[in-house]
Amino acid sequence: MMDIKCFQVNPLQENCYVVNDDTKECVIIDCGAYYEAERQAVVNYLDEQQLKPVHLLCTHGHFDHAFGNDTIYSRYGLKPEIHADDAYLIADMAQQCVDMGMGIGYNRPSPPVGMLLHEGDAITFGNHRLRVIHTPGHSKGGVCFYCAEESVVFTGDTLFRMSVGRTDLPGGSWAQLTQSLTKKIATLPHGTTVYPGHGPATNLSEEVSMNPYFS
């Protein structure tokens, strides 16, 4: 049985997930914790639940999904794992914040990048496995993490409830995002629960049938 804890963090209200099973091993997906209280809330949860983090995963490299990577690295020694095409984004978080021009400052050192992810990679923790699905469009290196045995997928900014991620940022492509949605996400079992990078969870069946971006 998988437990999923969501922390809504930083000024952009990003979803940071801690996912574990009864072995107490866990993965942290998109640790965007920005404020000190947010960082401490994630650490407190891990400690209180006696969880053992074994992977720090990134659906993509945008700053709002990676603000808290340095806290996880300094406390647990985990390097962020990210698709090769987005590794450059989290290598210098401070500069990315400047380049994005959203008025959000960042003056912490970026942790070294860990394992580079590719289509079809398997991320294991406890008794579970997440399959990496490369879904470019919002960014070149966007990925989703799919767990077949639990019928859940973590979609980052590829897919939201009745919406999708923007494609007007550097590396974005509407054509690629459309292909990622129709050729990859829509081929998953339609009973799959979707955990997006922003906003509430949703169901893939509803998204495929009602989300206008799948048409």
Side-chain angles (χ1 to χ4, degrees), residues 117-171:
L117 305 176
H118 302 87
E119 172 77 25
D121 284 351
I123 307 295
T124 59
F125 68 101
N127 299 317
H128 287 81
R129 181 176 73 168
L130 300 174
R131 175 164 63 90
V132 176
I133 306 173
H134 184 207
T135 53
H138 177 65
S139 69
K140 289 183 179 180
V143 301
C144 297
F145 299 107
Y146 172 61
C147 181
E149 49 272 56
E150 299 283 351
S151 296
V152 300
V153 63
F154 299 89
T155 56
D157 287 3
T158 296
L159 174 64
F160 306 135
R161 183 179 182 276
M162 297 301 150
S163 188
V164 295
R166 58 192 292 185
T167 60
D168 60 334
L169 299 173

Side-chain angles (χ1 to χ4, degrees), residues 8-202:
Q8 198 172 74
V9 294
N10 76 50
L12 299 184
Q13 297 293 282
E14 183 264 337
N15 293 333
C16 165
Y17 296 100
V18 176
V19 186
N20 71 280
D21 62 18
D22 56 9
T23 70
K24 295 296 186 177
E25 285 194 347
C26 72
V27 298
I28 303 167
I29 301 175
D30 286 354
C31 189
Y34 180 75
Y35 300 108
E36 192 58 41
E38 296 172 341
R39 295 165 181 266
Q40 195 60 49
V42 174
V43 169
N44 288 346
Y45 176 79
L46 294 169
D47 291 349
E48 290 165 2
Q49 299 298 314
Q50 298 181 318
L51 300 181
K52 179 185 177 182
V54 293
H55 293 283
L56 173 56
L57 304 176
C58 303
T59 60
H60 63 295
H62 289 155
F63 58 77
D64 56 316
H65 293 253
F67 279 133
N69 284 349
D70 65 295
T71 290
I72 303 303
Y73 174 66
S74 63
R75 187 171 181 93
Y76 304 103
L78 296 180
K79 300 176 182 177
E81 301 172 27
I82 191 167
H83 192 276
D85 290 345
D86 268 16
Y88 76 99
L89 286 170
I90 61 170
D92 189 347
M93 288 280 293
Q95 187 58 49
Q96 185 189 162
C97 288
V98 172
D99 293 342
M100 289 290 190
M102 294 186 180
I104 300 175
Y106 188 83
N107 59 3
R108 294 174 177 258
S110 298
V113 174
M115 184 172 68
L116 297 178
L117 305 176
H118 302 87
E119 172 77 25
D121 284 351
I123 307 295
T124 59
F125 68 101
N127 299 317
H128 287 81
R129 181 176 73 168
L130 300 174
R131 175 164 63 90
V132 176
I133 306 173
H134 184 207
T135 53
H138 177 65
S139 69
K140 289 183 179 180
V143 301
C144 297
F145 299 107
Y146 172 61
C147 181
E149 49 272 56
E150 299 283 351
S151 296
V152 300
V153 63
F154 299 89
T155 56
D157 287 3
T158 296
L159 174 64
F160 306 135
R161 183 179 182 276
M162 297 301 150
S163 188
V164 295
R166 58 192 292 185
T167 60
D168 60 334
L169 299 173
S173 166
W174 176 246
Q176 285 188 326
L177 182 62
T178 299
Q179 286 216 332
S180 292
L181 292 171
T182 58
K183 303 296 185 184
K184 294 189 176 181
I185 300 300
T187 65
L188 299 176
H190 284 191
T192 300
T193 300
V194 176
Y195 291 92
H198 301 267
T202 184

